[in-house]
Amino acid sequence: MLLHIPELLTREELAHARMLLANADWEDGRVSAGQQAVQVKHNLQLPPTGNTARELAALVQRALARNPLFMSAALPKTVMTPMFNCYQGGMNYGNHVDNAVRHDPLSGQYVRTDVSCTLFFSEPEEYEGGDLVVEDTYGNHRVKLPAGDMILYPSTSLHRVEPVTRGARLGSFMWTQSMVRDDSKRALLFDMDMAIIGLRQRVGECQELVNLTAGYHNLLRQWAEL
Ligand SMILES: O=C(O)CCC(=O)C(=O)O
Ligand SMILES: [Fe+2]
C-alpha cells in the first residue's frame, strides 16, 4: 500500500522545522547505509545524536502520534527515531531496498522495518528532480509532495530518489515496525477501518457497524504481533 498523508505537519511546525534545517550541520548519508545501498546513496543527513536532529525528531514523532491515517495504515509497534536528509547539486539515491533490521542509536532498539515513510520539507517548486520512485507489483509510482505531506510505503519495495538538479530537497525519513508485518494484511485492515469510519459518518451508529467493527478487531487480534 502506498498512502499519501496530507498535512502531517501544521504550518507553524513546518516553518520551525525549515528554520532548524537551514542552520543545520550535515554529514555524508553513507554512514547509515547497508552494503548494497551504500554504493548508490549520494545525499546528506543530520547526525542523529545532534541537538537539531533530536528537536526535529521529537516534532515529527508528535505529528505521527496524533495522525489517524498514519496510525491506521502503519499500525505501529515501534517507530524508529525519524532522520533527516538533503539532496542538492545532482545528489540522488539509486534503487535499493531498506535494511530489514535497523538499530536506533537513540532508543538503543533493534527494529524490523515494515513501513517506510518520507516526509517532505521542501515545496515541489523549490527543486528540480528528486522524485521518490517506488516500485510495486503494479509498476512504478512517482512521488513528489507538498511540504508538510508524507508518503507511506512498504519497506519491502524497491525505491530510489532521482537526482536533484536544481535547488535542495529536504526531508525526513523513518521506519516503523508494525504490529502486522504483512503489507497486504495491513492494507486490508486499513481499507476496512476507512470504510467503517466513512459509513459511521454517513449513516450513524447501527448494529451492522458494530458487527463490522467487531470483524476489524477480531482480524487484528488474529494478526497482531506485540
Ligand atoms: O529521501 C527519501 O525520500 C528516501 C530515503 C531512503 O530511501 C532511505 O534513506 O533509505
Ligand atoms: Fe530507502
Side-chain angles (χ1 to χ4, degrees):
M1 171 184 37
L2 199 74
L3 180 71
H4 173 184
I5 301 182
E7 294 176 10
L8 184 87
L9 302 182
T10 65
R11 287 283 118 195
E12 293 72 33
E13 286 170 333
L14 178 61
H16 185 62
R18 286 175 56 114
M19 188 268 291
L20 289 174
L21 287 166
N23 298 306
D25 289 324
W26 299 91
E27 67 181 6
D28 191 321
R30 282 175 293 193
V31 291
S32 67
Q35 265 185 1
Q36 185 269 324
V38 77
Q39 297 171 50
V40 293
K41 187 173 183 184
H42 310 283
N43 68 359
L44 302 171
Q45 280 178 189
L46 289 191
T49 49
N51 286 340
T52 309
R54 283 173 191 266
E55 182 177 347
L56 284 165
L59 181 149
V60 175
Q61 277 162 334
R62 281 194 300 275
L64 294 173
R66 68 170 184 241
N67 190 280
L69 276 184
F70 173 74
M71 284 295 163
S72 177
L75 294 168
K77 171 168 156 41
T78 312
V79 182
M80 275 189 74
T81 307
M83 294 176 69
F84 301 88
N85 63 14
C86 171
Y87 302 78
Q88 58 192 13
M91 289 178 185
N92 67 96
Y93 197 162
N95 260 342
H96 65 281
V97 166
D98 297 329
N99 279 2
V101 178
R102 300 191 65 101
H103 180 251
D104 186 334
L106 289 173
S107 70
Q109 282 175 301
Y110 283 89
V111 176
R112 187 187 65 229
T113 57
D114 296 320
V115 178
S116 301
C117 293
T118 294
L119 167 62
F120 291 79
F121 290 116
S122 304
E123 296 292 357
E125 53 278 9
E126 290 180 293
Y127 58 98
E128 207 74 58
D131 295 31
L132 172 68
V133 182
V134 182
E135 293 187 9
D136 73 8
T137 44
Y138 299 109
N140 283 0
H141 304 274
R142 222 161 244 289
V143 184
K144 190 170 185 173
L145 298 178
D149 288 17
M150 188 169 82
I151 188 80
L152 175 152
Y153 57 99
S155 301
T156 47
S157 20
L158 205 58
H159 57 281
R160 64 176 180 275
V161 176
E162 297 200 322
V164 172
T165 53
R166 176 183 63 80
R169 175 196 190 268
L170 300 171
S172 176
F173 57 105
M174 69 218 81
W175 291 281
T176 299
Q177 178 166 336
S178 176
M179 292 185 284
V180 177
R181 101 168 41 196
D182 184 86
D183 178 59
S184 60
K185 289 179 177 158
R186 272 197 316 275
L188 192 154
L189 287 167
F190 176 71
D191 289 345
M192 204 169 163
D193 192 23
M194 291 301 115
I196 289 170
I197 290 169
L199 212 51
R200 187 170 285 125
Q201 278 165 0
R202 199 120 68 93
V203 304
E205 201 55 82
C206 58
Q207 186 57 49
E208 289 80 0
L209 269 168
V210 174
N211 295 346
L212 281 172
T213 305
Y216 172 87
H217 283 284
N218 290 333
L219 273 180
L220 181 57
R221 202 185 319 282
Q222 298 230 356
W223 292 338
E225 308 161 85
L226 302 176

PDB file of all heavy atoms in Angstrom, residues 196-207 209-210:
ATOM      1  N   ILE A 196     -15.377   1.686   7.572  1.00  0.00           N
ATOM      2  CA  ILE A 196     -16.201   1.739   8.788  1.00  0.00           C
ATOM      3  C   ILE A 196     -16.382   3.188   9.237  1.00  0.00           C
ATOM      4  O   ILE A 196     -17.495   3.626   9.562  1.00  0.00           O
ATOM      5  CB  ILE A 196     -15.563   0.877   9.910  1.00  0.00           C
ATOM      6  CG1 ILE A 196     -15.697  -0.607   9.563  1.00  0.00           C
ATOM      7  CG2 ILE A 196     -16.203   1.175  11.261  1.00  0.00           C
ATOM      8  CD1 ILE A 196     -14.898  -1.542  10.471  1.00  0.00           C
ATOM      9  N   ILE A 197     -15.285   3.958   9.215  1.00  0.00           N
ATOM     10  CA  ILE A 197     -15.364   5.364   9.639  1.00  0.00           C
ATOM     11  C   ILE A 197     -16.294   6.149   8.700  1.00  0.00           C
ATOM     12  O   ILE A 197     -17.148   6.918   9.142  1.00  0.00           O
ATOM     13  CB  ILE A 197     -13.946   6.002   9.682  1.00  0.00           C
ATOM     14  CG1 ILE A 197     -13.146   5.389  10.845  1.00  0.00           C
ATOM     15  CG2 ILE A 197     -14.015   7.524   9.825  1.00  0.00           C
ATOM     16  CD1 ILE A 197     -11.672   5.736  10.827  1.00  0.00           C
ATOM     17  N   GLY A 198     -16.141   5.911   7.380  1.00  0.00           N
ATOM     18  CA  GLY A 198     -16.979   6.612   6.397  1.00  0.00           C
ATOM     19  C   GLY A 198     -18.461   6.283   6.572  1.00  0.00           C
ATOM     20  O   GLY A 198     -19.324   7.160   6.517  1.00  0.00           O
ATOM     21  N   LEU A 199     -18.729   5.004   6.788  1.00  0.00           N
ATOM     22  CA  LEU A 199     -20.109   4.544   6.959  1.00  0.00           C
ATOM     23  C   LEU A 199     -20.728   5.133   8.237  1.00  0.00           C
ATOM     24  O   LEU A 199     -21.894   5.543   8.245  1.00  0.00           O
ATOM     25  CB  LEU A 199     -20.081   3.013   7.062  1.00  0.00           C
ATOM     26  CG  LEU A 199     -21.262   2.229   6.537  1.00  0.00           C
ATOM     27  CD1 LEU A 199     -21.621   2.646   5.116  1.00  0.00           C
ATOM     28  CD2 LEU A 199     -20.921   0.732   6.555  1.00  0.00           C
ATOM     29  N   ARG A 200     -19.911   5.190   9.287  1.00  0.00           N
ATOM     30  CA  ARG A 200     -20.417   5.724  10.558  1.00  0.00           C
ATOM     31  C   ARG A 200     -20.802   7.198  10.390  1.00  0.00           C
ATOM     32  O   ARG A 200     -21.828   7.648  10.906  1.00  0.00           O
ATOM     33  CB  ARG A 200     -19.350   5.557  11.648  1.00  0.00           C
ATOM     34  CG  ARG A 200     -19.853   5.925  13.034  1.00  0.00           C
ATOM     35  CD  ARG A 200     -18.880   5.521  14.131  1.00  0.00           C
ATOM     36  NE  ARG A 200     -18.901   4.088  14.388  1.00  0.00           N
ATOM     37  CZ  ARG A 200     -17.832   3.289  14.361  1.00  0.00           C
ATOM     38  NH1 ARG A 200     -16.645   3.788  14.082  1.00  0.00           N
ATOM     39  NH2 ARG A 200     -17.952   2.007  14.610  1.00  0.00           N
ATOM     40  N   GLN A 201     -19.986   7.934   9.612  1.00  0.00           N
ATOM     41  CA  GLN A 201     -20.311   9.350   9.368  1.00  0.00           C
ATOM     42  C   GLN A 201     -21.581   9.479   8.536  1.00  0.00           C
ATOM     43  O   GLN A 201     -22.381  10.372   8.724  1.00  0.00           O
ATOM     44  CB  GLN A 201     -19.154  10.047   8.644  1.00  0.00           C
ATOM     45  CG  GLN A 201     -18.054  10.483   9.599  1.00  0.00           C
ATOM     46  CD  GLN A 201     -16.765  10.834   8.872  1.00  0.00           C
ATOM     47  OE1 GLN A 201     -16.677  10.751   7.655  1.00  0.00           O
ATOM     48  NE2 GLN A 201     -15.757  11.218   9.640  1.00  0.00           N
ATOM     49  N   ARG A 202     -21.765   8.546   7.576  1.00  0.00           N
ATOM     50  CA  ARG A 202     -22.872   8.659   6.625  1.00  0.00           C
ATOM     51  C   ARG A 202     -24.195   8.221   7.239  1.00  0.00           C
ATOM     52  O   ARG A 202     -25.201   8.892   7.097  1.00  0.00           O
ATOM     53  CB  ARG A 202     -22.560   7.813   5.386  1.00  0.00           C
ATOM     54  CG  ARG A 202     -23.363   8.162   4.177  1.00  0.00           C
ATOM     55  CD  ARG A 202     -22.510   8.600   3.002  1.00  0.00           C
ATOM     56  NE  ARG A 202     -21.719   7.488   2.478  1.00  0.00           N
ATOM     57  CZ  ARG A 202     -22.127   6.706   1.484  1.00  0.00           C
ATOM     58  NH1 ARG A 202     -23.294   6.919   0.910  1.00  0.00           N
ATOM     59  NH2 ARG A 202     -21.362   5.757   1.031  1.00  0.00           N
ATOM     60  N   VAL A 203     -24.178   7.070   7.926  1.00  0.00           N
ATOM     61  CA  VAL A 203     -25.477   6.527   8.385  1.00  0.00           C
ATOM     62  C   VAL A 203     -25.631   6.544   9.898  1.00  0.00           C
ATOM     63  O   VAL A 203     -26.707   6.229  10.404  1.00  0.00           O
ATOM     64  CB  VAL A 203     -25.703   5.089   7.861  1.00  0.00           C
ATOM     65  CG1 VAL A 203     -25.617   5.032   6.360  1.00  0.00           C
ATOM     66  CG2 VAL A 203     -24.720   4.107   8.487  1.00  0.00           C
ATOM     67  N   GLY A 204     -24.562   6.877  10.627  1.00  0.00           N
ATOM     68  CA  GLY A 204     -24.659   6.852  12.096  1.00  0.00           C
ATOM     69  C   GLY A 204     -24.470   5.437  12.614  1.00  0.00           C
ATOM     70  O   GLY A 204     -24.404   4.471  11.841  1.00  0.00           O
ATOM     71  N   GLU A 205     -24.377   5.319  13.934  1.00  0.00           N
ATOM     72  CA  GLU A 205     -24.128   4.006  14.546  1.00  0.00           C
ATOM     73  C   GLU A 205     -25.314   3.072  14.303  1.00  0.00           C
ATOM     74  O   GLU A 205     -26.464   3.503  14.329  1.00  0.00           O
ATOM     75  CB  GLU A 205     -23.887   4.228  16.048  1.00  0.00           C
ATOM     76  CG  GLU A 205     -23.145   3.112  16.738  1.00  0.00           C
ATOM     77  CD  GLU A 205     -21.804   2.779  16.085  1.00  0.00           C
ATOM     78  OE1 GLU A 205     -20.809   3.467  16.354  1.00  0.00           O
ATOM     79  OE2 GLU A 205     -21.758   1.805  15.312  1.00  0.00           O
ATOM     80  N   CYS A 206     -25.048   1.817  14.008  1.00  0.00           N
ATOM     81  CA  CYS A 206     -26.108   0.830  13.821  1.00  0.00           C
ATOM     82  C   CYS A 206     -25.536  -0.561  14.104  1.00  0.00           C
ATOM     83  O   CYS A 206     -24.320  -0.716  14.229  1.00  0.00           O
ATOM     84  CB  CYS A 206     -26.683   0.902  12.399  1.00  0.00           C
ATOM     85  SG  CYS A 206     -25.458   0.644  11.119  1.00  0.00           S
ATOM     86  N   GLN A 207     -26.398  -1.563  14.180  1.00  0.00           N
ATOM     87  CA  GLN A 207     -25.940  -2.919  14.546  1.00  0.00           C
ATOM     88  C   GLN A 207     -24.914  -3.458  13.542  1.00  0.00           C
ATOM     89  O   GLN A 207     -23.925  -4.085  13.917  1.00  0.00           O
ATOM     90  CB  GLN A 207     -27.157  -3.858  14.641  1.00  0.00           C
ATOM     91  CG  GLN A 207     -26.804  -5.256  15.151  1.00  0.00           C
ATOM     92  CD  GLN A 207     -26.128  -5.228  16.524  1.00  0.00           C
ATOM     93  OE1 GLN A 207     -26.604  -4.574  17.445  1.00  0.00           O
ATOM     94  NE2 GLN A 207     -24.993  -5.921  16.652  1.00  0.00           N
ATOM     95  N   LEU A 209     -22.756  -1.829  11.834  1.00  0.00           N
ATOM     96  CA  LEU A 209     -21.447  -1.215  12.070  1.00  0.00           C
ATOM     97  C   LEU A 209     -20.774  -1.813  13.298  1.00  0.00           C
ATOM     98  O   LEU A 209     -19.551  -1.981  13.318  1.00  0.00           O
ATOM     99  CB  LEU A 209     -21.604   0.302  12.238  1.00  0.00           C
ATOM    100  CG  LEU A 209     -21.464   1.065  10.927  1.00  0.00           C
ATOM    101  CD1 LEU A 209     -21.904   2.515  11.093  1.00  0.00           C
ATOM    102  CD2 LEU A 209     -20.033   1.007  10.418  1.00  0.00           C
ATOM    103  N   VAL A 210     -21.567  -2.154  14.287  1.00  0.00           N
ATOM    104  CA  VAL A 210     -20.996  -2.839  15.458  1.00  0.00           C
ATOM    105  C   VAL A 210     -20.376  -4.168  15.009  1.00  0.00           C
ATOM    106  O   VAL A 210     -19.246  -4.518  15.381  1.00  0.00           O
ATOM    107  CB  VAL A 210     -22.084  -3.071  16.536  1.00  0.00           C
ATOM    108  CG1 VAL A 210     -21.537  -3.904  17.693  1.00  0.00           C
ATOM    109  CG2 VAL A 210     -22.633  -1.738  17.046  1.00  0.00           C
TER     110      VAL A 210
END
